[in-house]
């Protein structure tokens, strides 16, 4: 079970070892927030590799430090600000060092960064990474540089990402950028712009390339993957204006899943994030039809109260969401489900909160990512609603939600005890070097004795015990001698 998401707390400095790179400039790249940001950092590393930068995981030896930032909650932004202050110390000792801010916070704060955080030299929004070489030239000349233009077309579809810090087993491939949904609490539509989809052929090619390099799992990424729509380019919102021929040959998310699943039949395929309002039965049937599409759906719900869902401008109510969960359980038996939930949205009553807990009881998610509401500047909620739930009430409701999820995660995991599950090994267990960890198709973490298994192996494991977060067991074969 996760009590928080992979969003704000994570950060990663990246090392890329290359041969014959003596004398090259060094880039230290740190990523915060969602998987999309980590994926974008791989695009940035690729663009800068062409400019003669190699990545390092030691900030003190870098010529350029870039922070790929997250704005989703206030805490995420505070973490980045603290980190920028730490780079102040390094910069004091190394005056030539340049520091840049990328991603959602760059888009939100813009030029104000130069006043607020004096040491920042460069501010680049998520759609402007191709401009990095020009912007770097500008800061080399001693000026500050900023580009936060959002694009209607940019999908970086021709750029081969440099895979950073991964395990060589699992990789991300982005399929859409931006979001048109305008959930009233969410800053993403402001920081990442309008929704656009990437050419499916370039997606299939990138996945095939990963398979050829030995990757065993790919996660297709978008803010709302179910609304993927390719009709020869263009924004999702302009689809109605496209020619009837373009409309007739459009590729939707279910079609894309079929294409990818067929192209790499022995590779595991995951996707994130699904939005309940856009998830069609065609997508569920595509998941059911292909053994290599993982039986797991991350299906954020945000609240169990229809009244709050309406205020959040989510495109579904409680009943529609539960009906979708029923269809998932019917069409994809044994499918793993996880949630995102927000406690303490403006106007949330104890009755609304009780409805959230009761929805959790109905679904019994395998795990979840849970937060208390954080007002974000410029969103509808910030402009029109009063952030009226006291912090201690938000925190108490969140604690109750987390506790409920912990119970459900334990129950879900207990149901696997005594069963054999297939695990894709990702690497050594954090707790013991004698154990490996990997995931089941349902995305549940499994830890088992290493024997001779390697990352990338598919292993049959008999589960003999569990915690709310992990299944533990023994592999059924001795491993490769
Ligand atoms: N569709 C996106 C959602 C991005 S934000 C995706 O791909 O994951 C991830 C989660 O952060 C949301 O589902 C929501 O639960 C949470 N979140 C977003 N804005 C928030 C806010 N203002 N306060 C608290 N949590 C928020
Ligand atoms: Fe945010 Fe809602 Fe889009 S949560 S990313 S506006 S689907």
């Amino acid at each position: 079970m996760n009590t928080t998401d992979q969003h704000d707390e994570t950060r990663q400095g990246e090392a890329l070892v290359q041969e014959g790179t003596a004398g090259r400039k060094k880039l230290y790249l740190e990523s915060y927030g969602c998987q999309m940001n980590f994926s974008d950092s791989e695009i940035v590393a690729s663009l800068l590799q062409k400019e003669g930068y190699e990545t390092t995981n030691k900030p003190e030896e870098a010529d350029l430090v870039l922070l790929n930032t997250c704005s989703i909650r206030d805490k995420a932004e505070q973490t980045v600000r603290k980190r920028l202050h730490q780079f102040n110390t390094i910069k004091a000792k190394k005056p030539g060092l340049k520091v840049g801010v990328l991603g959602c916070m760059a888009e939100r704060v813009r030029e104000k960064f130069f006043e607020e955080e004096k040491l920042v030299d460069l501010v680049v929004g998520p759609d402007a990474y191709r401009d990095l070489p020009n912007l770097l030239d500008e800061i080399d000349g001693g000026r500050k540089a900023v580009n936060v233009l959002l694009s209607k077309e940019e999908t970086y579809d021709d750029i081969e990402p440099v895979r950073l810090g991964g395990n060589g087993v699992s990789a991300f491939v982005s399929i859409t950028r931006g979001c048109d949904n305008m959930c009233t609490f969410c800053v993403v539509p402001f920081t990442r712009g309008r929704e656009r989809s990437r050419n499916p052929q370039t997606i299939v090619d990138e996945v095939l390339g990963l398979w050829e390099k030995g990757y065993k799992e790919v996660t297709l990424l978008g803010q709302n993957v179910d609304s993927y729509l390719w009709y020869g380019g263009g924004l999702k919102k302009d689809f109605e204006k496209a020619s009837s021929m373009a409309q007739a040959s459009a590729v939707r998310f279910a079609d894309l899943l079929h294409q990818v699943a067929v192209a790499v039949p022995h590779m595991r395929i995951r996707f994130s994030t699904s939005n309940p309002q856009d998830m069609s039965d065609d997508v569920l049937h595509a998941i059911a039809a292909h053994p290599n599409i993982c039986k797991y759906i991350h299906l954020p719900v945000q609240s169990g109260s229809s009244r709050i869902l309406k205020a959040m401008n989510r495109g579904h109510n409680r009943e529609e969401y539960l009906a979708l969960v029923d269809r998932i359980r019917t069409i994809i038996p044994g499918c793993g489900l996880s949630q995102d939930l927000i406690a303490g949205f403006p106007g949330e009553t104890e009755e609304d909160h009780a409805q959230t807990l009761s929805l959790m009881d109905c679904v019994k998610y395998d795990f979840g990512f849970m937060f208390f509401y954080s007002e974000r500047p410029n969103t509808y909620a910030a402009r029109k609603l009063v952030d009226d739930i006291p912090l201690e009430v938000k925190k108490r409701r969140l604690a109750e939600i987390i506790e409920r999820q912990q119970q459900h995660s334990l129950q879900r995991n207990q149901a696997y005890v005594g069963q054999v599950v297939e695990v894709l090994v990702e690497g050594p267990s954090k707790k013991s070097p004698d154990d490996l960890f990997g995931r089941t198709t349902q995305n549940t973490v499994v830890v088992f004795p290493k024997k001779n298994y390697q990352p990338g192996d598919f292993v049959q494991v008999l589960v003999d015990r569990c915690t709310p977060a992990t299944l533990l067991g023994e592999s059924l074969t001795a491993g490769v001698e």
Side-chain angles (χ1 to χ4, degrees):
M1 206 232 16
N2 295 283
T3 51
T4 179
D5 64 349
Q6 60 275 65
H7 290 85
D8 21 341
E9 276 66 43
T10 39
R11 70 160 198 253
Q12 224 172 317
E14 301 298 354
L16 174 71
V17 181
Q18 295 165 328
E19 284 174 31
T21 52
R24 296 186 73 174
K25 289 173 281 183
K26 292 221 160 73
L27 162 68
Y28 177 79
L29 181 52
E30 208 166 81
S31 304
Y32 293 80
C34 62
Q35 295 165 332
M36 185 67 92
N37 254 9
F38 283 80
S39 170
D40 279 1
S41 289
E42 299 187 328
I43 287 167
V44 169
S46 172
L47 286 161
L48 291 185
Q49 196 178 49
K50 294 192 189 81
E51 298 302 305
Y53 282 91
E54 66 172 45
T55 51
T56 171
N57 56 5
K58 297 195 189 82
E60 45 308 336
E61 57 175 45
D63 304 291
L64 175 65
V65 166
L66 295 177
L67 299 192
N68 197 353
T69 61
C70 173
S71 280
I72 199 79
R73 283 168 290 276
D74 184 53
K75 189 169 161 233
E77 292 201 352
Q78 295 314 330
T79 310
V80 166
R81 287 186 198 279
K82 266 194 222 130
R83 193 68 182 137
L84 283 170
H85 283 290
Q86 290 169 2
F87 284 116
N88 228 339
T89 330
I90 301 178
K91 206 173 173 175
K93 289 189 215 136
K94 195 175 175 185
L97 174 69
K98 303 287 182 196
V99 176
V101 179
L102 313 178
C104 287
M105 206 174 159
E107 192 64 46
R108 203 186 73 66
V109 181
R110 304 180 165 215
E111 292 88 349
K112 274 189 278 160
F113 253 122
F114 301 136
E115 296 148 37
E116 291 176 18
E117 307 288 337
K118 299 260 181 296
L119 77 159
V120 170
D121 302 291
L122 177 71
V123 174
V124 192
D127 284 347
Y129 298 143
R130 279 184 209 268
D131 198 24
L132 271 166
N134 302 326
L135 298 167
L136 287 173
D137 280 349
E138 265 188 56
I139 62 172
D140 273 347
R143 290 176 294 276
K144 306 252 175 195
V146 57
N147 186 344
V148 288
L149 286 177
L150 288 172
S151 159
K152 291 180 178 165
E153 293 96 28
E154 183 62 271
T155 56
Y156 300 111
D157 62 2
D158 57 325
I159 294 178
E160 190 187 344
V162 168
R163 302 292 164 185
L164 295 171
N167 49 16
V169 175
S170 190
F172 299 126
V173 170
S174 66
I175 66 165
T176 68
R177 295 184 74 81
C179 185
D180 284 353
N181 278 349
M182 295 306 248
C183 300
T184 56
F185 52 81
C186 187
V187 77
V188 170
F190 302 92
T191 59
R192 288 191 160 268
R194 301 310 298 241
E195 183 180 311
R196 66 220 97 118
S197 296
R198 176 176 170 187
N199 181 334
Q201 194 52 52
T202 68
I203 297 170
V204 170
D205 289 346
E206 190 175 328
V207 173
L208 273 169
L210 286 166
W211 173 251
E212 280 157 16
K213 289 197 186 97
Y215 283 83
K216 299 291 168 63
E217 181 177 86
V218 70
T219 304
L220 307 177
L221 288 183
Q223 301 301 335
N224 175 6
V225 286
D226 303 86
S227 89
Y228 175 89
L229 178 65
W230 172 259
Y231 59 99
L235 292 172
K236 162 104 178 181
K237 74 174 179 59
D238 295 331
F239 180 62
E240 299 305 323
K241 291 183 228 150
S243 71
S244 48
M245 224 170 73
Q247 290 191 14
S249 55
V251 178
R252 291 183 168 72
F253 185 52
D255 309 315
L256 181 71
L257 280 177
H258 284 297
Q259 287 187 21
V260 176
V262 169
V264 283
H266 302 294
M267 195 168 190
R268 271 190 180 181
I269 295 153
R270 298 189 184 280
F271 50 88
S272 192
T273 298
S274 293
N275 192 302
Q277 78 189 53
D278 292 308
M279 186 155 227
S280 69
D281 284 5
D282 288 348
V283 168
L284 304 184
H285 287 295
I287 300 167
H290 297 278
N292 58 329
I293 302 185
C294 288
K295 307 301 177 252
Y296 163 67
I297 300 173
H298 179 52
L299 198 64
V301 62
Q302 317 300 359
S303 168
S305 154
S306 291
R307 200 179 71 80
I308 295 295
L309 288 169
K310 189 152 186 254
M312 287 175 161
N313 193 33
R314 299 288 288 179
H316 58 86
N317 60 25
R318 174 188 173 97
E319 288 68 35
E320 286 161 345
Y321 184 93
L322 288 173
L324 174 60
V325 169
D326 278 348
R327 290 205 301 285
I328 292 172
R329 301 247 187 256
T330 310
I331 299 172
I332 317 166
C335 188
L337 274 181
S338 60
Q339 42 83 351
D340 284 349
L341 270 168
I342 299 178
F345 184 78
E348 185 188 72
T349 61
E350 289 301 326
E351 170 53 26
D352 294 317
H353 171 58
Q355 294 222 6
T356 293
L357 295 174
S358 95
L359 179 131
M360 293 175 77
D361 288 339
C362 292
V363 181
K364 289 204 171 62
Y365 296 97
D366 295 77
F367 57 95
F369 304 101
M370 296 150 281
F371 321 95
F372 60 76
Y373 173 68
S374 164
E375 186 178 270
R376 307 312 294 131
N378 289 330
T379 55
Y380 178 91
R383 286 183 288 114
K384 305 279 182 182
L385 307 176
V386 182
D387 184 8
D388 57 354
I389 311 298
L391 186 61
E392 64 274 16
V393 175
K394 287 180 181 171
K395 286 191 171 166
R396 194 254 302 149
R397 289 180 189 166
L398 177 62
E400 286 172 10
I401 289 172
I402 290 172
E403 193 194 333
R404 192 65 59 98
Q405 184 53 56
Q406 196 119 17
Q407 291 162 6
H408 294 156
S409 295
L410 185 61
Q411 284 172 28
R412 285 280 172 212
N413 277 358
Q414 278 165 343
Y416 289 112
V417 174
Q419 285 191 25
V420 176
V421 293
E422 185 175 73
V423 180
L424 171 58
V425 181
E426 291 182 29
S429 152
K430 282 190 197 104
K431 289 200 180 135
S432 159
D434 299 331
D435 291 339
L436 290 172
F437 93 97
R439 282 164 212 273
T440 64
T441 183
Q442 287 89 356
N443 214 20
T444 305
V445 173
V446 184
V447 171
F448 63 97
K450 188 167 148 197
K451 297 186 183 162
N452 294 321
Y453 292 110
Q454 304 288 334
D457 288 346
F458 286 94
V459 182
Q460 303 296 317
V461 175
L462 174 62
V463 179
D464 53 27
R465 59 202 196 284
C466 70
T467 69
T470 313
L471 302 177
L472 299 127
E474 284 288 336
S475 57
L476 285 190
T477 44
V480 187
E481 292 300 325

